[in-house]
Amino acid sequence: MNIAIGNVSLRHVSVNFNQVMRSLVPAITLILGKLMGKFFTVQRQIAVVPVVLGVAMACYGDMSYTSVGLMYTIFCILLAAVKAVLSGEILTGDLKLHPVDLLARMAPLAMAQCLVASFLAGEIGSIAERWETELSPAVNPLPFIIVMMSAVLSFSLNISSLMVNKLTSPLTLCIGANAKQVILIVISTVLFGTEVTILNGAGICVVLAGSSWYSYVSVLEKMELQAKQAVGGEDGKPLVAQTKKEGDEEMGVEVTPLVKE
């Protein structure tokens, strides 16, 4: 649904406006995470700011849009943020589903949603009318090949994003998506000779620096957490001794403290 709404929004707004609005997804993800009780350090929150500003600078241009397009775009970025937060909770929360298992549960629902949206938009009727003359594999195999390649790439993209979400965090996934937007700008500039202004170039540099800073902060926080877990458990006692004590208690062995309290 997120992708479908995003495609619909591109009918009513320019690509630059769509990308600028999508740069707000990390900020919305941060807000949703805090509403769900997630903790983000001040350093990590500050690291999001240059990424959002940098993408806005890199995508700045002829931002034409309509009120309907603005509504679709806002709905799209809200869906993207909610998807990142909820999938992260399912992958790392109490359920701890495997990414393939989560994708298998999501795919039938996504297919049903796409079928309903296609029927309401008239796409199914259009395909039926053009099937015998243009879209049938017997007449022209290219559309079928493109659809199959798109399916494989979409599956790979979903698995990769869910794995990143499971191993890192929803906010990290959104930061990576923003860096992807900048890479798309660079590739389009090289392939199609798109003109890049000084402001666009500065925005690309800001995004890359902000993404690097965010990654650096994330690594430092993980190293600090691992160091705390190695030194002591939840009650401050050495982790090895605490683990042995818990294991003895589970096996029914009486544990006698060395020092009387």
PDB file of all heavy atoms in Angstrom, residues 151-179:
ATOM      1  N   ALA A 151       9.097  -8.523  -9.818  1.00  0.00           N
ATOM      2  CA  ALA A 151       8.709  -9.342  -8.671  1.00  0.00           C
ATOM      3  C   ALA A 151       9.934  -9.831  -7.906  1.00  0.00           C
ATOM      4  O   ALA A 151       9.975  -9.787  -6.671  1.00  0.00           O
ATOM      5  CB  ALA A 151       7.864 -10.526  -9.143  1.00  0.00           C
ATOM      6  N   VAL A 152      10.950 -10.306  -8.632  1.00  0.00           N
ATOM      7  CA  VAL A 152      12.178 -10.797  -7.988  1.00  0.00           C
ATOM      8  C   VAL A 152      12.887  -9.670  -7.245  1.00  0.00           C
ATOM      9  O   VAL A 152      13.328  -9.829  -6.098  1.00  0.00           O
ATOM     10  CB  VAL A 152      13.112 -11.435  -9.035  1.00  0.00           C
ATOM     11  CG1 VAL A 152      14.454 -11.783  -8.404  1.00  0.00           C
ATOM     12  CG2 VAL A 152      12.468 -12.683  -9.628  1.00  0.00           C
ATOM     13  N   LEU A 153      12.990  -8.510  -7.889  1.00  0.00           N
ATOM     14  CA  LEU A 153      13.654  -7.376  -7.258  1.00  0.00           C
ATOM     15  C   LEU A 153      12.870  -6.873  -6.048  1.00  0.00           C
ATOM     16  O   LEU A 153      13.469  -6.508  -5.024  1.00  0.00           O
ATOM     17  CB  LEU A 153      13.839  -6.249  -8.281  1.00  0.00           C
ATOM     18  CG  LEU A 153      14.820  -6.545  -9.426  1.00  0.00           C
ATOM     19  CD1 LEU A 153      14.832  -5.396 -10.427  1.00  0.00           C
ATOM     20  CD2 LEU A 153      16.229  -6.781  -8.890  1.00  0.00           C
ATOM     21  N   SER A 154      11.548  -6.878  -6.143  1.00  0.00           N
ATOM     22  CA  SER A 154      10.729  -6.445  -5.010  1.00  0.00           C
ATOM     23  C   SER A 154      10.876  -7.388  -3.830  1.00  0.00           C
ATOM     24  O   SER A 154      10.976  -6.951  -2.674  1.00  0.00           O
ATOM     25  CB  SER A 154       9.254  -6.357  -5.426  1.00  0.00           C
ATOM     26  OG  SER A 154       9.079  -5.414  -6.450  1.00  0.00           O
ATOM     27  N   PHE A 155      10.890  -8.701  -4.109  1.00  0.00           N
ATOM     28  CA  PHE A 155      11.100  -9.682  -3.036  1.00  0.00           C
ATOM     29  C   PHE A 155      12.458  -9.475  -2.382  1.00  0.00           C
ATOM     30  O   PHE A 155      12.581  -9.469  -1.145  1.00  0.00           O
ATOM     31  CB  PHE A 155      10.996 -11.098  -3.610  1.00  0.00           C
ATOM     32  CG  PHE A 155      11.318 -12.179  -2.600  1.00  0.00           C
ATOM     33  CD1 PHE A 155      10.373 -12.575  -1.665  1.00  0.00           C
ATOM     34  CD2 PHE A 155      12.556 -12.789  -2.596  1.00  0.00           C
ATOM     35  CE1 PHE A 155      10.659 -13.565  -0.740  1.00  0.00           C
ATOM     36  CE2 PHE A 155      12.858 -13.774  -1.673  1.00  0.00           C
ATOM     37  CZ  PHE A 155      11.909 -14.168  -0.746  1.00  0.00           C
ATOM     38  N   SER A 156      13.495  -9.284  -3.194  1.00  0.00           N
ATOM     39  CA  SER A 156      14.844  -9.072  -2.657  1.00  0.00           C
ATOM     40  C   SER A 156      14.906  -7.795  -1.826  1.00  0.00           C
ATOM     41  O   SER A 156      15.537  -7.758  -0.763  1.00  0.00           O
ATOM     42  CB  SER A 156      15.863  -8.997  -3.807  1.00  0.00           C
ATOM     43  OG  SER A 156      15.822 -10.173  -4.594  1.00  0.00           O
ATOM     44  N   LEU A 157      14.245  -6.744  -2.307  1.00  0.00           N
ATOM     45  CA  LEU A 157      14.235  -5.479  -1.571  1.00  0.00           C
ATOM     46  C   LEU A 157      13.543  -5.634  -0.222  1.00  0.00           C
ATOM     47  O   LEU A 157      14.046  -5.145   0.808  1.00  0.00           O
ATOM     48  CB  LEU A 157      13.525  -4.410  -2.406  1.00  0.00           C
ATOM     49  CG  LEU A 157      13.280  -3.064  -1.713  1.00  0.00           C
ATOM     50  CD1 LEU A 157      14.596  -2.408  -1.323  1.00  0.00           C
ATOM     51  CD2 LEU A 157      12.468  -2.142  -2.608  1.00  0.00           C
ATOM     52  N   ASN A 158      12.397  -6.319  -0.195  1.00  0.00           N
ATOM     53  CA  ASN A 158      11.668  -6.486   1.067  1.00  0.00           C
ATOM     54  C   ASN A 158      12.456  -7.329   2.058  1.00  0.00           C
ATOM     55  O   ASN A 158      12.517  -6.998   3.249  1.00  0.00           O
ATOM     56  CB  ASN A 158      10.302  -7.132   0.793  1.00  0.00           C
ATOM     57  CG  ASN A 158       9.266  -6.130   0.331  1.00  0.00           C
ATOM     58  OD1 ASN A 158       8.725  -5.366   1.116  1.00  0.00           O
ATOM     59  ND2 ASN A 158       9.005  -6.122  -0.958  1.00  0.00           N
ATOM     60  N   ILE A 159      13.064  -8.414   1.587  1.00  0.00           N
ATOM     61  CA  ILE A 159      13.870  -9.245   2.479  1.00  0.00           C
ATOM     62  C   ILE A 159      15.042  -8.452   3.035  1.00  0.00           C
ATOM     63  O   ILE A 159      15.353  -8.501   4.233  1.00  0.00           O
ATOM     64  CB  ILE A 159      14.367 -10.501   1.739  1.00  0.00           C
ATOM     65  CG1 ILE A 159      13.210 -11.467   1.499  1.00  0.00           C
ATOM     66  CG2 ILE A 159      15.467 -11.202   2.542  1.00  0.00           C
ATOM     67  CD1 ILE A 159      12.604 -12.045   2.764  1.00  0.00           C
ATOM     68  N   SER A 160      15.715  -7.694   2.173  1.00  0.00           N
ATOM     69  CA  SER A 160      16.869  -6.908   2.611  1.00  0.00           C
ATOM     70  C   SER A 160      16.458  -5.858   3.638  1.00  0.00           C
ATOM     71  O   SER A 160      17.121  -5.693   4.678  1.00  0.00           O
ATOM     72  CB  SER A 160      17.536  -6.229   1.408  1.00  0.00           C
ATOM     73  OG  SER A 160      17.977  -7.189   0.469  1.00  0.00           O
ATOM     74  N   SER A 161      15.370  -5.138   3.377  1.00  0.00           N
ATOM     75  CA  SER A 161      14.933  -4.094   4.303  1.00  0.00           C
ATOM     76  C   SER A 161      14.489  -4.681   5.643  1.00  0.00           C
ATOM     77  O   SER A 161      14.774  -4.110   6.707  1.00  0.00           O
ATOM     78  CB  SER A 161      13.788  -3.281   3.682  1.00  0.00           C
ATOM     79  OG  SER A 161      12.650  -4.094   3.459  1.00  0.00           O
ATOM     80  N   LEU A 162      13.803  -5.839   5.615  1.00  0.00           N
ATOM     81  CA  LEU A 162      13.380  -6.468   6.868  1.00  0.00           C
ATOM     82  C   LEU A 162      14.582  -6.977   7.661  1.00  0.00           C
ATOM     83  O   LEU A 162      14.601  -6.896   8.893  1.00  0.00           O
ATOM     84  CB  LEU A 162      12.410  -7.609   6.575  1.00  0.00           C
ATOM     85  CG  LEU A 162      11.030  -7.192   6.053  1.00  0.00           C
ATOM     86  CD1 LEU A 162      10.199  -8.421   5.706  1.00  0.00           C
ATOM     87  CD2 LEU A 162      10.302  -6.318   7.060  1.00  0.00           C
ATOM     88  N   MET A 163      15.610  -7.503   6.965  1.00  0.00           N
ATOM     89  CA  MET A 163      16.814  -7.951   7.652  1.00  0.00           C
ATOM     90  C   MET A 163      17.536  -6.775   8.300  1.00  0.00           C
ATOM     91  O   MET A 163      18.010  -6.864   9.445  1.00  0.00           O
ATOM     92  CB  MET A 163      17.744  -8.664   6.667  1.00  0.00           C
ATOM     93  CG  MET A 163      17.284 -10.063   6.283  1.00  0.00           C
ATOM     94  SD  MET A 163      17.226 -11.205   7.680  1.00  0.00           S
ATOM     95  CE  MET A 163      18.948 -11.261   8.159  1.00  0.00           C
ATOM     96  N   VAL A 164      17.623  -5.665   7.573  1.00  0.00           N
ATOM     97  CA  VAL A 164      18.248  -4.464   8.140  1.00  0.00           C
ATOM     98  C   VAL A 164      17.457  -3.980   9.346  1.00  0.00           C
ATOM     99  O   VAL A 164      18.034  -3.590  10.379  1.00  0.00           O
ATOM    100  CB  VAL A 164      18.334  -3.351   7.070  1.00  0.00           C
ATOM    101  CG1 VAL A 164      18.779  -2.033   7.704  1.00  0.00           C
ATOM    102  CG2 VAL A 164      19.318  -3.750   5.980  1.00  0.00           C
ATOM    103  N   ASN A 165      16.134  -4.006   9.242  1.00  0.00           N
ATOM    104  CA  ASN A 165      15.281  -3.582  10.354  1.00  0.00           C
ATOM    105  C   ASN A 165      15.469  -4.473  11.574  1.00  0.00           C
ATOM    106  O   ASN A 165      15.480  -4.004  12.714  1.00  0.00           O
ATOM    107  CB  ASN A 165      13.818  -3.600   9.910  1.00  0.00           C
ATOM    108  CG  ASN A 165      12.965  -2.629  10.712  1.00  0.00           C
ATOM    109  OD1 ASN A 165      13.343  -2.205  11.793  1.00  0.00           O
ATOM    110  ND2 ASN A 165      11.818  -2.286  10.178  1.00  0.00           N
ATOM    111  N   LYS A 166      15.643  -5.770  11.340  1.00  0.00           N
ATOM    112  CA  LYS A 166      15.804  -6.714  12.446  1.00  0.00           C
ATOM    113  C   LYS A 166      17.162  -6.559  13.124  1.00  0.00           C
ATOM    114  O   LYS A 166      17.278  -6.613  14.341  1.00  0.00           O
ATOM    115  CB  LYS A 166      15.641  -8.150  11.937  1.00  0.00           C
ATOM    116  CG  LYS A 166      15.746  -9.223  13.027  1.00  0.00           C
ATOM    117  CD  LYS A 166      15.559 -10.602  12.438  1.00  0.00           C
ATOM    118  CE  LYS A 166      15.653 -11.667  13.519  1.00  0.00           C
ATOM    119  NZ  LYS A 166      14.555 -11.572  14.498  1.00  0.00           N
ATOM    120  N   LEU A 167      18.207  -6.365  12.316  1.00  0.00           N
ATOM    121  CA  LEU A 167      19.566  -6.315  12.848  1.00  0.00           C
ATOM    122  C   LEU A 167      19.943  -4.937  13.370  1.00  0.00           C
ATOM    123  O   LEU A 167      20.887  -4.821  14.157  1.00  0.00           O
ATOM    124  CB  LEU A 167      20.570  -6.744  11.768  1.00  0.00           C
ATOM    125  CG  LEU A 167      20.408  -8.176  11.250  1.00  0.00           C
ATOM    126  CD1 LEU A 167      21.398  -8.459  10.126  1.00  0.00           C
ATOM    127  CD2 LEU A 167      20.602  -9.182  12.387  1.00  0.00           C
ATOM    128  N   THR A 168      19.234  -3.885  12.934  1.00  0.00           N
ATOM    129  CA  THR A 168      19.572  -2.538  13.393  1.00  0.00           C
ATOM    130  C   THR A 168      18.362  -1.918  14.085  1.00  0.00           C
ATOM    131  O   THR A 168      18.064  -2.268  15.215  1.00  0.00           O
ATOM    132  CB  THR A 168      20.044  -1.652  12.211  1.00  0.00           C
ATOM    133  OG1 THR A 168      19.019  -1.628  11.193  1.00  0.00           O
ATOM    134  CG2 THR A 168      21.327  -2.203  11.618  1.00  0.00           C
ATOM    135  N   SER A 169      17.677  -0.997  13.395  1.00  0.00           N
ATOM    136  CA  SER A 169      16.494  -0.340  13.955  1.00  0.00           C
ATOM    137  C   SER A 169      15.706   0.292  12.825  1.00  0.00           C
ATOM    138  O   SER A 169      16.252   0.523  11.737  1.00  0.00           O
ATOM    139  CB  SER A 169      16.893   0.730  14.984  1.00  0.00           C
ATOM    140  OG  SER A 169      17.501   1.829  14.336  1.00  0.00           O
ATOM    141  N   PRO A 170      14.413   0.601  13.058  1.00  0.00           N
ATOM    142  CA  PRO A 170      13.631   1.276  12.017  1.00  0.00           C
ATOM    143  C   PRO A 170      14.222   2.617  11.606  1.00  0.00           C
ATOM    144  O   PRO A 170      14.177   3.000  10.440  1.00  0.00           O
ATOM    145  CB  PRO A 170      12.257   1.453  12.676  1.00  0.00           C
ATOM    146  CG  PRO A 170      12.188   0.392  13.704  1.00  0.00           C
ATOM    147  CD  PRO A 170      13.582   0.229  14.211  1.00  0.00           C
ATOM    148  N   LEU A 171      14.791   3.353  12.581  1.00  0.00           N
ATOM    149  CA  LEU A 171      15.368   4.651  12.264  1.00  0.00           C
ATOM    150  C   LEU A 171      16.586   4.498  11.362  1.00  0.00           C
ATOM    151  O   LEU A 171      16.793   5.279  10.428  1.00  0.00           O
ATOM    152  CB  LEU A 171      15.742   5.380  13.556  1.00  0.00           C
ATOM    153  CG  LEU A 171      16.190   6.832  13.409  1.00  0.00           C
ATOM    154  CD1 LEU A 171      15.123   7.648  12.712  1.00  0.00           C
ATOM    155  CD2 LEU A 171      16.513   7.420  14.774  1.00  0.00           C
ATOM    156  N   THR A 172      17.399   3.479  11.622  1.00  0.00           N
ATOM    157  CA  THR A 172      18.558   3.225  10.764  1.00  0.00           C
ATOM    158  C   THR A 172      18.113   2.898   9.346  1.00  0.00           C
ATOM    159  O   THR A 172      18.729   3.334   8.368  1.00  0.00           O
ATOM    160  CB  THR A 172      19.383   2.058  11.334  1.00  0.00           C
ATOM    161  OG1 THR A 172      19.798   2.375  12.664  1.00  0.00           O
ATOM    162  CG2 THR A 172      20.625   1.801  10.487  1.00  0.00           C
ATOM    163  N   LEU A 173      17.036   2.138   9.217  1.00  0.00           N
ATOM    164  CA  LEU A 173      16.506   1.802   7.892  1.00  0.00           C
ATOM    165  C   LEU A 173      16.087   3.061   7.137  1.00  0.00           C
ATOM    166  O   LEU A 173      16.355   3.198   5.936  1.00  0.00           O
ATOM    167  CB  LEU A 173      15.315   0.851   8.041  1.00  0.00           C
ATOM    168  CG  LEU A 173      14.627   0.402   6.744  1.00  0.00           C
ATOM    169  CD1 LEU A 173      15.592  -0.389   5.871  1.00  0.00           C
ATOM    170  CD2 LEU A 173      13.401  -0.434   7.063  1.00  0.00           C
ATOM    171  N   CYS A 174      15.460   3.993   7.826  1.00  0.00           N
ATOM    172  CA  CYS A 174      15.030   5.238   7.174  1.00  0.00           C
ATOM    173  C   CYS A 174      16.226   6.102   6.789  1.00  0.00           C
ATOM    174  O   CYS A 174      16.213   6.759   5.753  1.00  0.00           O
ATOM    175  CB  CYS A 174      14.094   6.012   8.100  1.00  0.00           C
ATOM    176  SG  CYS A 174      12.523   5.186   8.390  1.00  0.00           S
ATOM    177  N   ILE A 175      17.257   6.105   7.627  1.00  0.00           N
ATOM    178  CA  ILE A 175      18.470   6.855   7.294  1.00  0.00           C
ATOM    179  C   ILE A 175      19.101   6.275   6.028  1.00  0.00           C
ATOM    180  O   ILE A 175      19.547   7.003   5.134  1.00  0.00           O
ATOM    181  CB  ILE A 175      19.472   6.819   8.461  1.00  0.00           C
ATOM    182  CG1 ILE A 175      18.912   7.563   9.679  1.00  0.00           C
ATOM    183  CG2 ILE A 175      20.812   7.421   8.034  1.00  0.00           C
ATOM    184  CD1 ILE A 175      18.711   9.035   9.466  1.00  0.00           C
ATOM    185  N   GLY A 176      19.145   4.950   5.938  1.00  0.00           N
ATOM    186  CA  GLY A 176      19.678   4.316   4.733  1.00  0.00           C
ATOM    187  C   GLY A 176      18.847   4.629   3.500  1.00  0.00           C
ATOM    188  O   GLY A 176      19.387   4.815   2.402  1.00  0.00           O
ATOM    189  N   ALA A 177      17.522   4.716   3.674  1.00  0.00           N
ATOM    190  CA  ALA A 177      16.657   5.064   2.549  1.00  0.00           C
ATOM    191  C   ALA A 177      16.937   6.476   2.067  1.00  0.00           C
ATOM    192  O   ALA A 177      16.917   6.757   0.859  1.00  0.00           O
ATOM    193  CB  ALA A 177      15.194   4.923   2.965  1.00  0.00           C
ATOM    194  N   ASN A 178      17.219   7.386   2.988  1.00  0.00           N
ATOM    195  CA  ASN A 178      17.547   8.754   2.591  1.00  0.00           C
ATOM    196  C   ASN A 178      18.885   8.806   1.859  1.00  0.00           C
ATOM    197  O   ASN A 178      19.046   9.554   0.891  1.00  0.00           O
ATOM    198  CB  ASN A 178      17.596   9.661   3.824  1.00  0.00           C
ATOM    199  CG  ASN A 178      16.234  10.226   4.154  1.00  0.00           C
ATOM    200  OD1 ASN A 178      15.250   9.897   3.502  1.00  0.00           O
ATOM    201  ND2 ASN A 178      16.163  11.071   5.161  1.00  0.00           N
ATOM    202  N   ALA A 179      19.849   8.014   2.314  1.00  0.00           N
ATOM    203  CA  ALA A 179      21.120   7.956   1.594  1.00  0.00           C
ATOM    204  C   ALA A 179      20.913   7.393   0.189  1.00  0.00           C
ATOM    205  O   ALA A 179      21.580   7.812  -0.772  1.00  0.00           O
ATOM    206  CB  ALA A 179      22.111   7.092   2.377  1.00  0.00           C
TER     207      ALA A 179
END
